[in-house]
Amino acid sequence: MSTITVPEPIPSPEEDSQRLKKAFEGWGTDEKAIIDILGQRTAVQRRHIAAAYQTLFNESLLQRLHDELSGDFRNAVILWATDPVERDAKLANEALIWVIIEISCASSPDHLMAVRQAYCSLFTSSLEEDILRKFLERLVSSYRYDGEHVDEELANSEAAKLYDALVIRILGIRSRSQLKATFKHYKQRYGKAFDEFISMLRTAVWCIDSPERHFAEVVRTSVMGLGTDEDLLTRAIVTRAEIDMKKIKEEYYKTTLVIGDTSGYYKDFLLTLVG
């Protein structure tokens, strides 16, 4: 369900590399040529272009893109030009837990395994180790605060039960004060507020059951309110354009994908990816 349009006949990687080199030279950069080439090539084709560019000109295509472009347009193009496995590994290293959930739940098993392998190669530690480290950092930074008199032992016990998803019974039979104490102990035990856990659980369910629904919501969130969250919008479109962007477009208002108040070559590039 990709929205990428590949021209026919497809130029060779060497031809695309020559065109990219020409786009970089002269007075200013030909951004439109970069969009036309990279924005209309699959991940495999982009990988071949990067290899051919390195062979022909003895320089990294990603580095040249970084040097030639700027702003949100540069961020989007470089994210797109990076191999998807390496891209997801880097996103997982930099990202909040939400991105890790997306990669884990909305990717194929083979892709996830490849991301884990790439992560080890890039960062000399496993993805699992770094997730645990970040979790423990949050855990030790939590603190106890005073509240109304309650049964603390019971609150601590039921915080553990909440983690095992025994939610409805506990929420239905305990008083507000008792539940506040339970939520306090939950945060101390697991390093996050209970409502954050519920939100994470919902995200995981959406990513497994209906990834297009989740990413449509990500796009909607990125363009709502004053201004656009370009990082959020870029990540959603770049990572899903070759996977299920057609379904995401159908889910998003059932009509078309809104790019928000983006402009210039950045907007052109995103519109190219979403078809």
Side-chain angles (χ1 to χ4, degrees):
M1 302 296 289
S2 170
T3 49
I4 304 303
T5 302
V6 179
E8 289 290 346
I10 182 71
S12 69
E14 290 74 19
E15 291 173 320
D16 281 337
S17 296
Q18 294 284 358
R19 288 184 60 200
L20 285 170
K21 184 68 170 178
K22 183 178 180 181
F24 299 146
E25 296 176 337
W27 295 97
T29 303
D30 187 348
E31 289 88 350
K32 187 177 185 304
I34 294 173
I35 294 173
D36 289 343
I37 298 169
L38 296 180
Q40 300 185 73
R41 302 293 186 272
T42 67
V44 173
Q45 291 163 349
R46 298 194 303 275
R47 188 184 308 124
H48 291 163
I49 292 170
Y53 189 92
Q54 179 72 48
T55 300
L56 288 172
F57 307 113
N58 195 31
E59 67 175 0
S60 165
L61 176 59
L62 288 178
Q63 185 59 52
R64 190 60 187 268
L65 289 168
H66 183 275
D67 294 342
E68 294 289 335
L69 308 178
S70 62
D72 295 316
F73 178 52
R74 175 174 66 185
N75 295 339
V77 171
I78 290 179
L79 197 64
W80 177 249
T82 302
D83 182 86
V85 169
E86 183 176 331
R87 176 185 67 208
D88 280 355
K90 290 180 177 179
L91 286 173
N93 180 255
E94 300 168 357
L96 300 172
I97 190 66
W98 311 108
V99 179
I100 297 174
I101 291 174
E102 291 174 0
I103 295 171
S104 301
C105 298
S107 300
S108 69
D110 289 342
H111 181 77
L112 179 57
M113 182 64 70
V115 169
R116 291 169 59 189
Q117 292 172 346
Y119 194 98
C120 288
S121 300
L122 289 169
F123 305 110
T124 64
S125 61
S126 72
L127 178 59
E128 297 89 338
E129 288 172 338
D130 282 356
I131 291 173
L132 178 60
R133 175 181 55 79
K134 292 177 182 178
F135 171 78
L136 291 176
E137 286 175 355
R138 296 185 61 186
L139 181 61
V140 299
S141 66
S142 62
Y143 58 92
R144 184 182 299 273
Y145 63 90
D146 293 330
E148 298 180 37
H149 177 71
V150 294
D151 185 338
E152 297 290 347
E153 183 177 352
L154 176 63
N156 190 36
S157 172
E158 291 189 340
K161 291 179 181 179
L162 283 178
Y163 196 75
D164 293 328
L166 300 178
V167 178
I168 301 302
R169 182 183 67 82
I170 294 173
L171 294 181
I173 65 176
R174 301 302 180 199
S175 70
R176 183 172 179 271
S177 296
Q178 183 67 49
L179 286 172
K180 287 176 65 177
T182 300
F183 296 153
K184 176 189 70 175
H185 279 278
Y186 183 94
K187 185 173 183 179
Q188 293 171 342
R189 180 185 289 259
Y190 300 111
K192 60 173 68 67
F194 182 67
D195 60 344
E196 185 178 349
F197 166 71
I198 294 296
S199 183
M200 289 166 53
L201 182 62
R202 183 185 68 174
T203 298
V205 170
W206 279 15
C207 285
I208 293 170
D209 183 59
S210 180
E212 61 272 15
R213 182 184 177 192
H214 166 73
F215 284 102
E217 186 63 28
V218 170
V219 173
R220 183 177 293 112
T221 299
S222 74
V223 300
M224 287 176 61
L226 296 175
T228 297
D229 186 335
E230 286 83 1
D231 290 342
L232 197 62
L233 180 63
T234 296
R235 176 174 60 80
I237 292 179
V238 167
T239 59
R240 306 308 292 186
E242 292 184 273
I243 300 174
D244 54 3
M245 185 54 68
K246 285 184 178 179
K247 289 184 177 180
I248 293 171
K249 288 170 64 176
E250 293 171 1
E251 185 68 29
Y252 190 97
Y253 289 153
K254 307 297 180 182
T255 53
T256 186
L257 203 65
V258 177
I259 301 302
D261 58 357
T262 59
S263 61
Y265 293 115
Y266 174 58
K267 180 176 184 178
D268 293 343
F269 184 61
L270 294 185
L271 288 174
T272 298
L273 297 188
V274 302

